[in-house]
Amino acid sequence: MADAMRDAILNGFVDQNYLGSEELGPKILANNQQERIWQTLRQELYSCKSFTWAIAFITQDMLVPFKVIMADLAKNGISGTIITGDYLGFNNPRVFTELQKIPNLEVRIANKAGFHTKGYLFDHENYQTVIIGSANFTRSALLANYEWALKVSSKKQADLTAQLVDKIADLKQDSFVLNSAWLTDYRKNWVKPERVATDRHQTKILPNKMQKAALKQIEALVASGEKRGLVVSATGTGKTYLGAFAVKKYQPRRFLYIVHREQIAKKSLESFYRVIGGPRSDYGLLTGNRHNLQAKYLFATVQTISQPEMLANFNSDEFDYVLIDEAHRAAAPSYQRLLHYFKPNFWLGMTATPERMDEQNVYQIFDYNLAYEIRLRDALEEKMLAPFHYVGVQDYEADGVAIDETTDLRYLASTSRVDYVLKELDYYGYCGTKAKGLVFCSRQDEARELARLFSQKGHPAVALTNEDNEKRRNEVVASLVKGEIEYIVAVDLFNEGIDIPALNQIVMLRNTQSSIVFIQQLGRGLRKYPGKDFTVVLDFIGNYKNNYIIPLALNQDTSRSKDQAKRETRLPSFIDVSTINFSKIASEKILASLDSVKLDGMRELRQSYHDLKNKLGRVPLLFDFYQYGSVAPIVFAQNHGLASYADFLGKMGEDVNLSKYENEVLSFVTKELLNGKRIHELLLLEMLLEQDIVKQEDYLAQLKRHHAYVNDELLASVDAILSLDFFDIKQGKTTKKAQYGKLPLVERSNLFDYQFNGSLRSALDQHDFKNLFVDAIKTGLALNQEYDNQRQFTLYQQYDRKDACRLLNWPKDVSAPMYGYRVGEQDTPIFITYHKDDHEKRNALYRNTLADGRSLRWYTRVPRHLDSDEVQRLLNTRGMNLHIFVKRSDADGKQFFYLGKAKIQADSVREELLGVKKKPAVGMNLMLKHPLSESMHELLFE
């Protein structure tokens, strides 16, 4: 630690060429795409022994993610102190109430006049870290605002630390512990600070930024002569107003609006009237209760207008513009009857959830004309919805028994579970003066019993199921909005259609069955409402097989990449100022679920394929998956059951005609180049698709344009890859080269020209092959945008052992016998699995440890001695590049994160005896040249 602290100080305050430490070095913190100040505070909280914060302003909207961490810290006996105050009346009394709920936190009120500090002090084992700057403990300051904060660490005997301790002691002495009497008095005298009014009196409704973009796309569809179009718009993003703006622009002779509920028809009529205006008599309803058949703007329920005797009142060309709301229902017979009968100039479909679990193709119904798409993430980033704070917590457990899919009702609705749930609901709280929550559970009898117990314990609740009619549902919703009850307990009843903008809590007390339903239920609480600054989403996570769906749904991640899903679970996620937080135990349950599921199984890939095919109206290519954020193309390449995407298309029943050689070439490009980890081969293949012969000077110029490094070893490596010589390694009874067709893809006509071999040139005349070959290259080039082509490896990207052999320009793939490392002439790649899954395994003998966020203790194979040739070459510090690759555990597959180059700490090298048999190995400290980032530290080592 002493050396690391010294180096951090020298690096930060003397010369940046000294080896520094991300953990200990001084750093300017800010909010941007790559980092947020809150992430650093979070990391410090999880690694400290105690903390003291002196912060003037605190907002309730930042307390939810803070409480998640404090609950985890409480389990480890770690506590802290916050010193705050009443300066300018900024702190809402509710903030103090919520802070009092945190048992391992002492809250003190400063007596200092004009108390306006913004300092965060963390005590670690033998050093302290302080963060001081412009950022108060508010959501805006820690997640969004343009703020600066200086992070500095120092030893406990340092003068800076002594000054800090004195300042804190002085502040503590001139403060008192928050108490009920003070809070009662503060609440009584508190006057809410006035905010500058913004458009408070605006009466004219105008389209927002995303609605304007959508309107342009709809108008373009109409102008091009298309008859149908679909808008996908997340719940709460104003799709009704968007429809009204579109209709106003079109100025139809007569307009028909179709929806499945009378309540929605009535609300939509009012919204259209506000936007379009005109005589009130132009607007009418066609429902079971109202028959305004002559209205210019007719709002109808599908149940009424689809009746044959009702349709007889209208000519087929009666309406020149028809809008179907909740258009994902349009495959139902009643809607189909209308779609076949009416002949308007334009049909507009609008839905929040085009993906259907019943496999009906909504896109096809609207001629695959996706006019615009506003997904949940887009809407949150555009501030069209209320932000949310999602918290995944452990569900109730007793005697080590957890809730799962088979749990009996007696346990699901037991008094002890309800007590636990209510305690968590109170701890994490809500925005506003009273809870207005919607609870989703699994079964009707569970809903009724939970509602009874909630009410019995002082939290009035009503159960609603599909047995309750619309009148009853409306009455219960009205009771919730008025504050007469606190909770509605439902069973998949409020997934769509009914809006309760006043909701400030969403509670998940059930297994997550699908991303679609999860987002529908989450969306219920995100509509904006006066006084609602955020919604708390509390998810009680049991031992469910489907837990893995949760991070995928929250992050709208359809990539089918397990690595990505694990990152989303282990690290905090943000959507604008919305936060996604898992307690440590809940995170472990989700990771266990991820380890036991096959995200990229053929069943899952088939579903994703058909979803995208339905959306596009044609056979999707790999680049379509990349472009539309669906399955990560690399998933197809890494699937051991697929030789290439052509192989997958065949399994999907598509007619793809390829020869054996064409299949082999596609397999090579898919398995070896599609990942985009090196651009050089892909660029040459792309150039050869355009011209028969590529001169080396032109190839070099193209590499330069793409800022790709070049040397003689690299060019020789490209030759070895594209000639397949790199793969000429025995594997069983054959070679890898034989699997790729044996023939070199690219030949040299002389020393300086490249060309395809004759067989490949002929194959490119075949449409199916060329289409798939070009697609793989195009996709690989797109994926390469994530990599730095000026270097062999990109920091914090993932690589396997074969990637290392190729990118180090080695002539052969020697990854099979590499195991933990291979000492080359100039480069030694070292692969480290940090957490050993099995202590009996051979590699568990090598107890790698991380110190100071920059130093790894590492061991050679056994038996090795200090004078072994391999060790001597390794210690040749002048001529040897050590490349460090680390993965968290064996469960994380073959891919390792690249942590950069390292140097050996000379005085740490020593021969040691390892394992039960005491075999000799050489241990040494590997000092990372790039101090580990906080997020990578958390991802790999915590």
Side-chain angles (χ1 to χ4, degrees):
M1 172 59 73
D3 289 344
M5 182 66 75
R6 179 202 63 207
D7 290 347
I9 292 169
L10 290 172
N11 172 270
F13 295 108
V14 179
D15 186 343
Q16 63 181 340
N17 292 316
Y18 281 101
L19 183 65
S21 167
E22 182 77 14
E23 185 177 352
L24 301 174
K27 185 178 180 182
I28 298 290
L29 307 179
N31 296 314
N32 52 48
Q33 288 288 345
Q34 288 71 45
E35 62 176 354
R36 290 173 170 84
I37 295 172
W38 169 239
Q39 288 172 280
T40 302
L41 291 177
R42 180 182 183 274
Q43 178 69 28
E44 288 291 327
L45 282 169
Y46 271 125
S47 61
C48 74
K49 298 301 179 184
S50 65
F51 65 89
T52 304
W53 294 357
I55 38 179
F57 299 157
I58 304 172
T59 52
Q60 190 186 342
D61 53 25
M62 201 59 217
L63 294 183
V64 176
F66 177 60
K67 286 177 179 177
V68 178
I69 299 170
M70 292 304 293
D72 282 335
L73 295 182
K75 292 182 174 69
N76 297 322
I78 294 171
S79 60
T81 300
I82 287 181
I83 304 172
T84 186
D86 57 2
Y87 184 53
L88 301 179
F90 180 92
N91 291 336
N92 190 305
R94 277 296 303 276
V95 165
F96 298 110
T97 302
E98 294 301 316
L99 287 171
Q100 283 183 314
K101 294 178 181 178
I102 306 173
N104 52 330
L105 179 70
E106 179 182 74
V107 182
R108 302 186 70 89
I109 306 300
N111 276 324
K112 300 284 187 184
F115 176 76
H116 200 227
T117 60
K118 304 165 187 67
Y120 305 81
L121 175 66
F122 302 89
D123 278 299
H124 296 276
E125 194 74 51
N126 51 10
Y127 71 98
Q128 290 181 314
T129 297
V130 64
I131 296 171
I132 296 178
S134 63
N136 279 295
F137 198 69
T138 69
R139 186 177 65 192
S140 297
L142 299 182
L143 297 178
N145 287 354
Y146 190 83
E147 307 271 358
W148 283 353
L150 176 64
K151 173 191 170 190
V152 182
S153 295
S154 65
K155 297 286 285 183
K156 291 194 174 182
Q157 65 267 32
D159 182 60
L160 175 61
T161 300
Q163 292 182 52
L164 281 170
V165 170
D166 287 345
K167 292 289 184 187
I168 292 291
D170 177 56
L171 195 53
K172 276 190 173 180
Q173 189 172 0
D174 201 7
S175 66
F176 58 89
V177 176
L178 173 64
N179 57 73
S180 299
W182 180 88
L183 182 52
T184 300
D185 187 58
Y186 181 73
R187 187 181 290 114
K188 183 172 64 177
N189 296 304
W190 181 71
V191 178
K192 185 177 181 178
E194 287 189 20
R195 291 184 179 181
V196 178
T198 54
D199 299 330
R200 183 181 296 174
H201 304 294
Q202 177 182 307
T203 55
K204 187 177 181 181
I205 300 172
L206 300 171
N208 60 37
K209 177 183 172 183
M210 297 190 80
Q211 287 171 336
K212 287 178 181 176
L215 288 169
K216 282 186 178 180
Q217 295 297 322
I218 295 170
E219 290 167 24
L221 267 182
V222 173
S224 67
E226 295 289 348
K227 294 295 184 182
R228 298 184 182 187
L230 180 68
V231 169
V232 175
S233 184
T235 300
T237 56
K239 62 182 169 65
T240 305
Y241 280 130
L242 172 59
F245 291 129
V247 171
K248 181 179 182 180
K249 179 73 175 178
Y250 188 86
Q251 295 184 332
R253 175 178 44 80
R254 283 199 78 187
F255 164 72
L256 175 63
Y257 174 99
I258 305 167
V259 75
H260 66 294
R261 305 181 72 124
E262 181 176 6
Q263 181 188 14
I264 303 174
K266 289 178 178 178
K267 286 182 64 177
S268 299
L269 183 153
E270 295 302 323
S271 297
F272 271 68
Y273 177 68
R274 289 190 66 189
V275 170
I276 299 173
R280 189 77 186 191
S281 58
D282 282 353
Y283 299 81
L285 290 168
L286 178 53
T287 66
N289 302 313
R290 303 283 294 276
H291 289 185
N292 303 128
L293 300 180
Q294 304 307 314
K296 179 179 179 179
Y297 301 101
L298 186 60
F299 294 77
T301 57
V302 65
Q303 297 88 341
T304 303
I305 195 170
S306 64
Q307 298 300 318
E309 60 273 19
M310 187 59 69
L311 273 178
N313 292 299
F314 303 102
N315 296 322
S316 61
D317 61 352
E318 188 85 29
F319 305 98
D320 43 343
Y321 202 111
V322 180
L323 189 157
I324 297 181
D325 199 0
E326 308 290 357
H328 52 275
R329 298 171 171 272
S334 54
Y335 284 92
Q336 286 295 307
R337 196 175 305 133
L338 300 176
L339 283 158
H340 285 102
Y341 181 78
F342 287 117
K343 308 296 179 189
N345 294 336
F346 193 71
W347 289 90
L348 179 63
M350 308 190 84
T351 179
T353 53
E355 298 86 2
R356 298 281 293 158
M357 288 183 290
D358 59 12
E359 299 186 4
Q360 296 290 346
N361 190 351
V362 178
Y363 296 101
Q364 182 184 38
I365 293 171
F366 291 91
D367 297 341
Y368 302 104
N369 290 324
L370 181 58
Y372 201 72
E373 193 165 10
I374 307 173
R375 294 291 187 162
L376 181 67
R377 177 176 289 273
D378 305 319
L380 285 163
E381 289 175 349
E382 289 295 327
K383 306 190 187 312
M384 300 168 74
L385 300 173
F388 69 89
H389 294 298
Y390 169 92
V391 182
V393 297
Q394 177 187 14
D395 204 339
Y396 175 68
E397 292 189 8
D399 301 323
V401 178
I403 302 264
D404 62 21
E405 293 86 350
T406 63
T407 300
D408 188 83
L409 174 64
R410 289 175 301 168
Y411 196 73
L412 290 175
S414 66
T415 301
S416 52
R417 186 191 186 211
V418 169
D419 286 341
Y420 173 79
V421 168
L422 289 174
K423 180 183 175 184
E424 294 294 296
L425 291 178
D426 177 65
Y427 179 72
Y428 288 105
Y430 46 84
C431 178
T433 57
K434 193 166 187 176
K436 294 176 181 176
L438 179 56
V439 181
F440 291 101
C441 64
S442 311
R443 296 151 46 176
Q444 294 190 7
D445 49 1
E446 178 191 1
R448 286 187 278 268
E449 185 62 12
L450 286 174
R452 185 185 71 80
L453 288 171
F454 271 46
S455 300
Q456 187 183 91
K457 294 178 179 296
H459 298 275
V462 174
L464 283 181
T465 73
N466 57 15
E467 295 177 356
D468 295 296
N469 59 33
E470 187 168 322
K471 181 173 182 288
R472 168 67 174 160
R473 295 175 196 176
N474 292 339
E475 289 171 351
V476 173
V477 168
S479 294
L480 184 79
V481 174
K482 292 175 187 174
E484 296 168 352
I485 61 173
E486 292 182 14
Y487 293 99
I488 296 174
V489 187
V491 185
D492 291 343
L493 187 63
F494 288 80
N495 296 351
E496 60 180 27
I498 294 183
D499 295 317
I500 315 175
L503 285 174
N504 54 24
Q505 274 188 338
I506 297 289
V507 185
M508 312 288 199
L509 281 176
R510 82 291 172 273
N511 184 16
T512 298
Q513 293 290 349
S514 80
S515 293
I516 296 171
V517 172
F518 186 94
I519 292 300
Q520 286 176 333
Q521 294 178 344
L522 173 67
R524 293 302 101 203
L526 302 188
R527 284 192 181 273
K528 290 187 174 182
Y529 189 73
K532 184 168 83 172
D533 294 325
F534 62 94
T535 301
V536 174
V537 182
L538 203 56
D539 197 349
F540 290 83
I541 298 173
N543 285 348
Y544 298 123
K545 294 177 182 177
N546 287 341
N547 281 339
Y548 70 90
I549 293 175
I550 297 169
L552 305 183
L554 284 165
N555 291 281
Q556 294 189 295
D557 177 6
T558 57
S559 70
R560 299 278 174 199
S561 166
K562 191 172 284 191
D563 288 333
Q564 178 67 20
K566 287 186 175 183
R567 247 192 313 272
E568 291 161 352
T569 305
R570 287 180 176 136
L571 298 178
S573 300
F574 308 93
I575 309 175
D576 191 42
V577 293
S578 295
T579 65
I580 298 169
N581 316 270
F582 296 103
S583 72
K584 292 291 186 183
I585 295 178
S587 176
E588 288 167 8
K589 289 183 181 295
I590 292 171
L591 290 168
S593 170
L594 277 166
D595 284 338
S596 64
V597 73
K598 193 169 175 59
L599 286 182
D600 61 348
M602 194 55 61
R603 177 184 170 188
E604 288 73 23
L605 294 181
R606 182 186 300 275
Q607 182 61 54
S608 296
Y609 172 80
H610 284 300
D611 287 345
L612 187 53
K613 185 179 180 182
N614 287 343
K615 186 173 186 175
L616 299 176
R618 59 171 172 79
V619 172
L621 296 172
L622 284 171
F623 190 75
D624 293 315
F625 283 100
Y626 168 80
Q627 193 172 26
Y628 287 93
S630 189
V631 177
I634 195 65
V635 168
F636 293 99
Q638 292 173 343
N639 189 300
H640 297 300
L642 298 172
S644 70
Y645 189 61
D647 192 9
F648 175 75
L649 290 177
K651 293 179 186 295
M652 294 301 103
E654 306 295 354
D655 187 16
V656 181
N657 297 307
L658 300 181
S659 68
K660 180 175 181 291
Y661 175 69
E662 290 164 351
N663 271 312
E664 290 167 342
V665 171
L666 272 181
S667 178
F668 162 72
V669 177
T670 303
K671 297 293 185 183
E672 307 299 342
L673 305 184
L674 179 73
N675 57 39
K677 294 179 183 181
R678 189 162 82 179
I679 199 173
H680 301 72
E681 293 89 350
L682 292 164
L683 280 179
L684 182 53
L685 293 178
E686 184 185 50
M687 293 177 74
L688 285 168
L689 285 168
E690 299 296 326
Q691 53 199 81
D692 292 337
I693 295 177
V694 172
K695 294 187 177 300
Q696 183 169 291
E697 61 187 73
D698 294 334
Y699 176 46
L700 295 177
Q702 183 74 327
L703 290 172
K704 186 176 181 181
R705 279 192 286 273
H706 284 80
H707 308 290
Y709 87 96
V710 177
N711 56 34
D712 290 342
E713 290 78 14
L714 178 281
L715 293 175
S717 175
V718 170
D719 284 345
I721 298 296
L722 296 180
S723 69
L724 304 183
D725 289 345
F726 176 79
F727 307 97
D728 198 6
I729 301 292
K730 197 78 170 175
Q731 290 188 348
K733 296 181 179 179
T734 182
T735 67
K736 191 74 174 176
K737 180 177 181 179
Q739 296 176 30
Y740 294 150
K742 297 182 182 178
L743 297 174
L745 274 73
V746 175
E747 301 172 328
R748 293 284 195 126
S749 57
N750 54 52
L751 287 176
F752 304 106
D753 295 340
Y754 301 91
Q755 64 183 26
F756 282 138
N757 78 59
S759 298
L760 182 50
R761 276 202 307 272
S762 299
L764 287 166
D765 291 332
Q766 207 271 87
H767 177 267
D768 283 355
F769 172 72
K770 183 175 183 179
N771 195 29
L772 293 171
F773 185 75
V774 170
D775 175 52
I777 294 168
K778 182 180 179 182
T779 305
L781 289 169
L783 294 175
N784 174 258
Q785 295 176 46
E786 300 295 319
Y787 296 88
D788 180 358
N789 292 310
Q790 297 181 65
R791 293 171 176 79
Q792 290 172 308
F793 303 102
T794 302
L795 196 65
Y796 303 149
Q797 287 290 356
Q798 288 179 282
Y799 302 89
D800 61 22
R801 291 176 174 87
K802 183 167 66 173
D803 293 328
C805 295
R806 175 185 161 214
L807 272 62
L808 287 171
N809 301 317
W810 289 355
K812 298 288 184 184
D813 174 13
V814 290
S815 58
M818 186 183 295
Y819 301 109
Y821 65 97
R822 184 181 181 90
V823 182
E825 295 297 321
Q826 294 179 310
D827 298 280
T828 297
I830 297 174
F831 292 86
I832 297 171
T833 303
Y834 191 69
H835 294 285
K836 307 302 180 186
D837 294 336
D838 183 352
H839 289 290
E840 299 302 316
K841 287 184 179 178
R842 174 184 167 280
N843 67 359
L845 299 174
Y846 305 94
R847 301 183 185 281
N848 308 303
T849 55
L850 180 79
D852 311 330
R854 63 169 191 166
S855 174
L856 275 163
R857 186 68 182 170
W858 176 77
Y859 296 90
T860 63
R861 302 181 186 92
V862 295
R864 292 293 187 274
H865 303 278
L866 284 169
D867 59 357
S868 297
D869 175 66
E870 179 184 87
V871 175
Q872 286 300 303
R873 286 191 290 128
L874 194 63
L875 296 177
N876 178 16
T877 54
R878 286 189 178 181
M880 185 61 66
N881 295 310
L882 304 181
H883 300 273
I884 309 303
F885 300 85
V886 177
K887 67 178 178 180
R888 187 181 181 93
S889 73
D890 290 324
D892 288 344
K894 295 181 178 180
Q895 298 286 320
F896 294 73
F897 287 94
Y898 181 60
L899 303 189
K901 292 182 181 179
K903 69 176 184 178
I904 299 169
Q905 188 178 338
D907 59 1
S908 73
V909 180
R910 56 182 176 270
E911 193 172 309
E912 300 179 31
L913 298 176
L914 300 182
V916 177
K917 296 183 179 181
K918 301 298 180 183
K919 293 186 177 182
V922 177
M924 59 196 75
N925 290 350
L926 303 176
M927 307 294 289
L928 295 173
K929 291 189 176 180
H930 294 278
L932 207 60
S933 73
E934 289 167 350
S935 59
M936 194 55 59
H937 184 284
E938 184 172 356
L939 185 64
L940 291 174
F941 299 108
E942 291 189 1

